[in-house]
Amino acid sequence: MIKIGITGGIGSGKSVVATLLELSGIPVYIADTESKLLTATSPVIREKLIALFGEQLYTADGLDKKRLASHIFGNPERLEQVNAIIHPEVNRHFLAWTERQNTPVCAIESAILFESGFNRIVDTTLMVYAPMEVRIKRALERDVVSREEVIRRIESQLPDEVKKEKSDYVVFNDGKQALLPQITAFLTGLNT
C-alpha cells in the first residue's frame, strides 16, 4: 500500500485536496481530528498527560482543553513534551488504520507532517501551496479570528519554503490553477 502524506499551511487548501483524493477512492486520515479524539480518549495519552500536569487535567467531562492550553501556550518546552506524548500515539493509530484499508493507496492529512515526524511513515509527501494573502483571506472567511491571529498562526508553522523543499510533490491552490488536473497528474505519477 502506498501512503501519501498531505501537508500545507493554514488556508492552503489541504482539506480540499483530501476531499479530492477521497472522491478518487483514496481513504484519508485527518491527523488533527484524530489527534484531538485520541487526546480525549486514549488511556496512554491520558496517563502521560496526568503525570505531566496532574489529575485536574481531566474532569468528569474529559480533557480540560483550556487547562492544557494554559500549560503549553507560550511554553515551547511544554509543547514539545505534549507533542512527544501525542504524536507517537497518532502515528500508531494511523498505521493501525492503514491496516484496515482495502485500497492500494491511502493518505494522512497533517499541517505538521514534517514537524511531527509523520513524514517518516509515508511513502510520498504532497504539499498544498497557496500564496500568503490567499491563505489569510481563506482563514478569515473560515474562522472567527483577526488578521493578526491568522498571521500569528501562520508564523508558528514551518515556513512554506521549507515544506516545499521537503515535499516530494507540490500542488498549487492559488485560485488560478485548477487543482483536479494537478491531483490527477500526482496520482498518475504514483502508479508509474
Side-chain angles (χ1 to χ4, degrees):
M1 173 185 287
I2 298 171
K3 297 178 198 74
I4 303 166
I6 308 164
T7 196
I10 293 165
S12 62
K14 292 180 304 298
S15 299
V16 172
V17 169
T19 300
L20 289 173
L21 290 179
E22 286 176 327
L23 291 171
S24 299
I26 296 170
V28 180
Y29 181 98
I30 309 298
D32 187 50
T33 302
E34 297 299 333
S35 172
K36 288 175 182 166
L37 183 63
L38 285 169
T39 303
T41 62
S42 165
V44 172
I45 292 174
R46 181 183 182 120
E47 182 182 312
K48 290 179 179 179
L49 288 179
I50 287 173
L52 196 57
F53 300 118
E55 291 282 339
Q56 67 279 14
L57 192 62
Y58 284 83
T59 66
D61 296 329
L63 176 69
D64 184 339
K65 293 176 192 168
K66 285 185 182 177
R67 186 177 295 271
L68 178 61
S70 74
H71 285 295
I72 60 177
F73 184 75
N75 189 333
E77 185 181 311
R78 286 290 182 154
L79 177 60
E80 197 173 306
Q81 290 173 314
V82 169
N83 287 341
I85 291 168
I86 296 171
H87 293 164
E89 290 305 308
V90 174
N91 188 326
R92 279 190 272 284
H93 192 257
F94 169 68
L95 291 174
W97 175 86
T98 63
E99 295 296 319
R100 296 189 303 272
Q101 306 310 307
N102 294 317
T103 56
V105 180
C106 69
I108 180 172
E109 184 237 282
S110 174
I112 56 170
L113 189 77
F114 297 106
E115 301 93 319
S116 64
F118 298 151
N119 61 302
R120 292 191 296 272
I121 60 170
V122 298
D123 301 301
T124 189
T125 54
L126 169 68
M127 182 205 177
V128 184
Y129 174 82
M132 180 73 79
E133 280 306 314
V134 171
R135 293 172 57 199
I136 292 170
K137 182 176 184 279
R138 287 176 184 158
L140 288 171
E141 289 170 357
R142 181 189 68 204
D143 304 332
V144 184
V145 292
S146 68
R147 179 180 176 85
E148 292 73 28
E149 174 63 16
V150 172
I151 291 169
R152 189 184 67 71
R153 289 181 188 175
I154 288 172
E155 288 174 349
S156 74
Q157 294 183 333
L158 194 64
D160 276 356
E161 294 312 310
V162 175
K163 283 183 183 178
K164 271 181 168 177
E165 254 178 54
K166 292 178 175 255
S167 296
D168 298 316
Y169 198 92
V170 178
V171 294
F172 294 87
N173 187 20
D174 54 8
K176 296 175 184 169
Q177 301 174 63
L179 263 177
L180 195 53
Q182 294 179 76
I183 297 298
T184 301
F186 168 73
L187 294 176
T188 301
L190 284 182
N191 298 325
T192 57

